[in-house]
Amino acid sequence: MRAARLIKMVLLLQSRPSMTAAELARELEVSERTVTRDAQALSEAGVPVYADRGRIGGYRLVGGYRTRLTGLARGEAEALFLSGVPGALREMGLEDAASAARLKVSAALLPSLRDAPRTAAQRFHLDAPNWFHEPDTPGLLPAVADAVWDDRRITARYRRGEHEVERELEPYGLVLKAGVWYLCARVSGHGSFRVYRIDRFTAVEAAEERFERAADFDLPAFWEERAEQFARSILRAEVVVRLSAQGVRRLPYAVDPLSAREALARAGGPDGSGWVTVTLPVESEEVAREQLTALGAEAEVLAPASLRERFAAEAARLAELYGR
């Protein structure tokens, strides 16, 4: 127990210019007297802990001392920067690496590892706005994740409609979107990047040779562009809606944010009652009914007539139900 505390004390002092006894006591959850004893023990063991006296004094390491206790491997250092998403780490088979990295508590990475945050960010991206959803983990996800980490080509078979297709891919990055795992990969020999759902893969085999990653590939930017393209592709219908001020504020939370943003940008000013009329791109009339129902009396559907009639019929049923 004390050995672990002494290691943590060294790492804390290594990460900051100096710390007061009170600060160290708070971090280590011990008394200031214990901090004094620990500092003395470290000094006797050859760790150059120096105590500055006075009102603003404290403890610091001298001579540019750096401990070798961390010993982070590259895989552990990269996994450390994904430790905020433990569920995703577990599904990718990286939980052990992340646990080892956290136990070593890297106070400062070696120069050869300073690109770990960038390499991790360019290989895994979390885009999961839907909370309270337990995703199904694809069985082949760990194999794909290993290939992404190692920059190894894969031969993958996946379902496309009623058929299976085989492709040789260069796996650049994984994205977890609303509980669904996607692979962003470049098709070998074509140079084009595509997105694949991992749960549609039926077989994955990693090659021995590695591929050279494109230096200008940016995973978050690529995903944002493709996600917006997909959102636009499914918005095939339009509805005209009149919104109260509260309805305007709530619209981006009820419908697709891209659709709401574009509709509000094109809308004119409020009418005499303070309501705003927007033309809203939607996936279908049925989807629009489900989404706009969440706005209640803060939205009035003006067109198409068939959708307005459905809302009028439902409003009449509600009035009858609550009017009893």
Side-chain angles (χ1 to χ4, degrees):
M1 184 69 177
R2 190 190 185 198
R5 189 175 71 243
L6 292 175
I7 292 173
K8 185 175 182 180
M9 183 174 180
V10 173
L11 294 173
L12 286 170
L13 293 174
Q14 181 175 304
S15 65
R16 307 179 194 182
S18 68
M19 295 183 70
T20 66
E23 290 172 336
L24 284 168
R26 185 166 55 251
E27 291 282 353
L28 299 172
E29 298 180 347
V30 295
S31 67
E32 292 187 30
R33 180 172 296 181
T34 299
V35 168
T36 301
R37 288 198 298 265
D38 286 351
Q40 183 176 352
L42 287 171
S43 181
E44 292 173 353
V47 179
V49 178
Y50 180 78
D52 290 315
R53 306 297 180 185
R55 185 173 57 85
I56 59 173
Y59 293 92
R60 59 186 175 87
L61 294 175
V62 297
Y65 178 85
R66 302 186 68 81
T67 177
R68 298 181 180 273
L69 291 171
T70 52
L72 283 175
R74 169 162 289 277
E76 294 168 342
E78 291 172 332
L80 183 64
F81 293 96
L82 295 173
S83 58
V85 284
L89 283 169
R90 182 173 57 254
E91 292 175 14
M92 290 186 290
L94 299 172
E95 188 174 32
D96 290 343
S99 178
R102 286 192 295 270
L103 287 174
K104 292 178 179 179
V105 195
S106 176
L109 295 177
L110 295 173
S112 61
L113 299 179
R114 285 175 184 162
D115 65 338
R118 183 186 61 80
T119 57
Q122 290 306 319
R123 284 166 172 79
F124 298 97
H125 177 55
L126 178 65
D127 183 3
N130 290 352
W131 291 3
F132 316 119
H133 173 67
E134 187 67 28
D136 294 326
T137 305
L140 293 173
L141 177 60
V144 177
D146 285 344
V148 170
W149 276 124
D150 292 339
D151 294 337
R152 295 186 184 276
R153 288 187 176 87
I154 61 172
T155 300
R157 293 187 62 83
Y158 67 96
R159 296 187 302 275
R160 190 169 68 180
E162 299 296 323
H163 307 284
E164 282 195 2
V165 179
E166 184 173 290
R167 290 285 185 274
E168 185 175 308
L169 304 173
E170 297 175 356
Y172 267 67
L174 291 172
V175 175
L176 176 59
K177 167 70 174 180
V180 179
W181 284 96
Y182 296 88
L183 172 67
C184 301
R186 182 163 62 180
V187 182
S188 296
H190 290 270
S192 60
F193 287 92
R194 300 179 185 178
V195 177
Y196 302 86
R197 280 185 60 146
I198 302 295
D199 58 8
R200 293 180 182 169
F201 284 10
T202 59
V204 172
E205 183 178 352
E208 289 298 324
E209 70 274 10
R210 290 180 168 85
F211 63 90
E212 188 73 24
R213 291 176 66 91
D216 59 351
F217 179 79
D218 187 304
L219 178 60
F222 170 79
W223 176 258
E224 183 179 1
E225 178 185 351
R226 288 303 173 94
E228 183 169 321
Q229 290 176 359
F230 175 76
R232 292 181 187 278
S233 70
I234 64 174
L235 301 176
R236 303 186 181 94
E238 288 185 342
V239 298
V240 180
V241 187
R242 187 167 170 261
L243 300 167
S244 68
Q246 178 70 3
V248 169
R249 287 191 292 270
R250 290 168 51 188
L251 185 66
Y253 304 99
V255 304
D256 179 82
L258 173 65
S259 174
R261 186 168 62 248
E262 293 188 349
L264 293 172
R266 295 195 302 263
D271 59 22
S273 301
W275 287 54
V276 175
T277 299
V278 301
T279 299
L280 187 69
V282 294
E283 184 175 346
S284 66
E285 186 173 311
E286 180 60 31
V287 171
R289 184 191 67 79
E290 294 177 358
Q291 293 175 333
L292 294 175
T293 296
L295 297 179
E298 306 301 328
E300 177 189 2
V301 174
L302 303 179
S306 56
L307 182 58
R308 181 178 174 85
E309 291 168 2
R310 293 179 69 176
F311 271 95
E314 291 185 13
R317 289 178 58 196
L318 286 172
E320 180 183 359
L321 179 64
Y322 288 99
R324 292 173 184 173

